[in-house]
């Protein structure tokens, strides 16, 4: 099965260069505020899937969940996440491609995907994978980079930018880096059966001189004040959506105690993988999925 190309972060110093030393305290704080507004506070908080978790910058913000599957394509990002979060039963580290998720259907109570749709050349396909692994009634918190914001609109009107911010197609401004139109994302979620519950407009003040003048904490608090305007219009560079799958009756699907029972073979779809010392074995297609340094690796069979 062919899948779209992956933006590979293997060996990348993303966390250090972009976040720790990149002058993005304001953006990080604004996201923390948005996530707090988006995360479910009660109900079933058992297993959360964090897609494109990177170095686990946001993972501690999901602490209310019993278990968190920290998923990324890059094992070096996951190793950094392990350093930050530690190894315990709470965190399950999975190296896998979002286009080829190695989970049985209906396994998760919630999923988040922050700054990661950004790298999806086939966003509807990626979102379809997420929909498949969520339980009925589950919450999906999705952040995406918005192509429709004042800077892109002005640049377009003044002839400084060829692409049109008002049209629905994504724009690939750098290879495998995409900005999306908010209506296109809402349409895709709707087509997959999600109900959009809440929209937040985030990072209103992502402007160099403001970030230099105003302390990050204050600027982020101001952003938090304006985030709910996302219900009315979405003109900020970052948009958060909380979407939910419809509940089917009162039945909740049993979530397995044993980690191996979360998984399926991403090659053949077999749901009965056998646990071996350093890998999971698929008795159907004979694939071996390595477990190395506490990371379940589903990228390539060995
Ligand atoms: C911009 S980083 C964001 C990391 C984290 N969510 C954060 O906000 O700090 C994007 C992450 O998505 C991961 N990623 C990109 N394409 C992926 C794919 N097809 N499957 C799994 N992870 C992917 C990258 O490895 C990278 O860690
Ligand atoms: Zn198999």
């Amino acid at each position: 099965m062919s899948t779209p190309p992956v933006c590979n972060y293997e060996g990348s110093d993303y966390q250090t260069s972009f976040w720790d030393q990149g002058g993005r305290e304001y953006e990080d704080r604004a996201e923390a505020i948005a996530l707090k507004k988006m995360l479910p506070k009660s109900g079933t908080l058992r297993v959360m899937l964090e897609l494109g978790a990177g170095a686990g910058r946001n993972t501690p913000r999901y602490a209310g969940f019993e278990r968190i599957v920290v998923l990324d394509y890059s094992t070096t990002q996951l190793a950094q996440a392990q350093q930050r979060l530690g190894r315990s039963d709470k965190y399950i580290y999975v190296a896998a491609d979002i286009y080829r998720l190695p989970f049985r259907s209906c396994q998760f109570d919630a999923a988040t995907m922050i700054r990661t749709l950004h790298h999806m050349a086939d966003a509807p396909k990626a979102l379809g994978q997420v929909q498949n692994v969520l339980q009925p009634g589950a919450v999906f918190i999705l952040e995406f980079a918005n192509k429709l914001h004042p800077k892109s609109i002005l640049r377009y009107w003044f002839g400084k930018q060829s692409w049109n911010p008002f049209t629905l197609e994504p724009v690939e401004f750098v290879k495998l880096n995409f900005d999306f139109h908010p209506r296109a994302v809402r349409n895709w979620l709707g087509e997959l059966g999600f109900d959009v519950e809440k929209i937040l407009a985030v990072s209103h003040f992502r402007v160099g001189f403001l970030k230099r003048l105003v302390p990050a904490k204050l600027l982020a608090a101001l952003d938090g004040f304006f985030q709910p305007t996302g219900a009315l219009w979405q003109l900020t560079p970052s948009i958060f959506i909380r979407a939910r799958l419809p509940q089917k009756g009162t039945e909740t699907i049993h979530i397995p105690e044993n980690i191996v029972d979360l998984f399926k073979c991403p090659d053949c779809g077999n749901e009965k993988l056998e646990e071996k010392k350093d890998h999971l074995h698929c008795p159907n297609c004979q694939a071996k999925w390595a477990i190395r340094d506490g990371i379940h690796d589903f990228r390539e069979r060995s």
Side-chain angles (χ1 to χ4, degrees):
M1 186 184 67
S2 82
T3 47
V6 174
C7 184
N8 199 343
Y9 275 61
E10 205 64 20
S12 151
D13 67 350
Y14 167 72
Q15 178 62 39
T16 321
S17 59
F18 191 85
W19 290 107
D20 303 341
Q21 296 166 6
R24 290 191 171 81
E25 186 188 346
Y26 157 68
E27 285 84 350
D28 182 48
R29 285 179 177 274
E31 279 185 16
I33 293 170
L35 278 172
K36 207 163 171 195
K37 293 183 203 277
M38 285 297 197
L39 283 163
K41 294 186 186 36
S42 57
T44 337
L45 304 179
R46 280 173 301 179
V47 195
M48 140 84 76
L49 171 62
E50 184 180 7
L51 297 137
R57 180 179 63 92
N58 280 312
T59 319
R61 295 169 180 158
Y62 312 140
F65 282 82
E66 278 170 38
R67 282 209 151 143
I68 303 169
V69 173
V70 181
L71 181 143
D72 203 275
Y73 193 78
S74 155
T75 51
T76 56
Q77 292 297 308
L78 289 172
Q80 291 178 46
Q82 272 180 332
Q83 273 183 3
R84 181 192 302 267
L85 306 163
R87 283 205 215 171
S88 71
D89 283 353
K90 187 172 175 94
Y91 301 110
I92 303 165
Y93 298 95
V94 175
D97 184 355
I98 289 170
Y99 294 115
R100 231 167 64 97
L101 287 180
F103 306 111
R104 300 180 183 182
S105 302
C106 307
Q107 294 300 305
F108 298 95
D109 301 305
T112 66
M113 193 169 175
I114 313 294
R115 292 180 176 257
T116 298
L117 195 70
H118 197 45
H119 295 309
M120 301 290 136
D122 189 343
K125 188 180 175 103
L127 296 174
Q129 287 279 302
V130 181
Q131 187 260 11
N132 180 251
V133 301
L134 289 177
Q135 290 229 26
V139 162
F140 177 35
I141 299 169
L142 171 67
E143 185 276 348
F144 63 90
N146 184 7
K147 73 185 278 204
L148 184 65
H149 52 80
K151 218 180 202 173
S152 68
I153 295 168
L154 287 175
R155 272 201 231 117
Y156 177 65
W157 279 343
F158 285 100
K160 304 259 180 241
Q161 166 190 294
S162 58
W163 53 269
N164 183 342
F166 298 102
T167 51
L168 291 191
E169 76 288 347
V171 55
E172 186 177 23
F173 60 95
V174 171
K175 195 169 169 27
L176 287 177
N177 283 256
F178 301 87
D179 288 352
F180 298 92
H181 193 290
R183 186 145 39 91
V185 177
R186 288 201 307 273
N187 289 348
W188 293 327
L189 290 170
E191 281 157 22
L192 287 164
F194 283 101
D195 297 320
V196 171
E197 285 187 343
K198 194 169 186 168
I199 306 182
L200 297 177
V202 178
S203 266
H204 287 81
F205 308 113
R206 197 182 285 177
V207 184
F209 83 90
L210 275 179
K211 283 173 44 175
R212 279 191 296 278
L213 273 178
V214 187
K217 198 171 173 188
L218 178 60
L219 207 55
L222 266 179
D223 192 69
F225 181 76
F226 288 109
Q227 285 173 4
T229 59
L232 306 170
W233 51 77
Q234 298 104 40
L235 293 167
T236 47
S238 170
I239 305 293
F240 277 64
I241 291 188
R242 185 172 77 204
R244 195 184 287 274
L245 287 177
Q247 187 77 52
K248 287 195 186 133
T250 51
E251 170 203 6
T252 352
I253 288 163
H254 170 70
I255 292 184
E257 280 300 305
N258 199 346
I259 292 173
V260 68
D261 295 331
L262 273 180
F263 295 122
K264 71 173 186 191
C265 173
D267 272 7
C268 74
N270 174 30
E271 297 190 343
K272 294 262 179 282
L273 299 185
E274 294 166 356
E275 212 168 358
K276 306 287 179 193
K277 193 168 137 282
D278 59 358
H279 67 276
L280 298 181
H281 175 245
C282 174
N284 186 48
C285 74
Q286 306 308 322
K288 286 181 180 173
W289 302 106
I291 308 170
R292 265 183 238 105
D293 304 321
I295 299 174
H296 284 79
D297 192 343
F298 286 96
R299 295 170 306 171
E300 272 184 46
R301 60 200 280 158
S302 54

